[in-house]
Amino acid sequence: VSPRPARPQSAQYGSCSLRRMSVMEALELLDQLVDESDPDVDFPNSFHAFQTAEGIRRAHPDKDWFHLVGLLHDLGKVLALFGEPQ
């Protein structure tokens, strides 16, 4: 597969006209994706997000913003379900 030419992602996705969803809906949608960076993982991608957030919470209990970053860090991967390369 040849790489697609670069294009401004914000122009294509910035208006959120493709699909609107909550964070929880995006996490559930992420479970439909086979992550090319971890194809042999046998648990849902959302589990990885919660696991990451919980690990950060334990290590940095005073940084609630960091817990959120851990939860959200892979959400962009849902774009692969809409034709973007991983």
Side-chain angles (χ1 to χ4, degrees):
V1 175
S2 61
R4 297 164 95 179
R7 63 182 186 269
Q9 300 301 315
S10 62
Q12 184 173 2
Y13 298 111
S15 67
C16 298
S17 61
L18 182 64
R19 183 169 177 181
R20 288 186 180 266
M21 64 187 85
S22 69
V23 170
M24 290 305 295
E25 290 169 326
L27 284 167
E28 291 171 5
L29 192 60
L30 196 59
D31 288 344
Q32 297 177 19
L33 178 70
V34 175
D35 190 342
E36 290 176 358
S37 65
D38 263 337
D40 299 327
V41 173
D42 60 352
F43 54 84
N45 289 309
S46 61
F47 182 80
H48 168 68
F50 288 114
Q51 189 178 44
T52 301
E54 178 59 18
I56 292 170
R57 187 194 62 79
R58 274 191 243 121
H60 303 281
D62 58 326
K63 297 179 180 166
D64 56 351
W65 64 269
F66 198 13
H67 313 162
L68 180 62
V69 170
L71 182 67
L72 303 178
H73 80 282
D74 274 346
L75 282 187
K77 290 181 180 182
V78 299
L79 292 177
L81 298 171
F82 298 99
E84 286 296 319
Q86 288 191 38

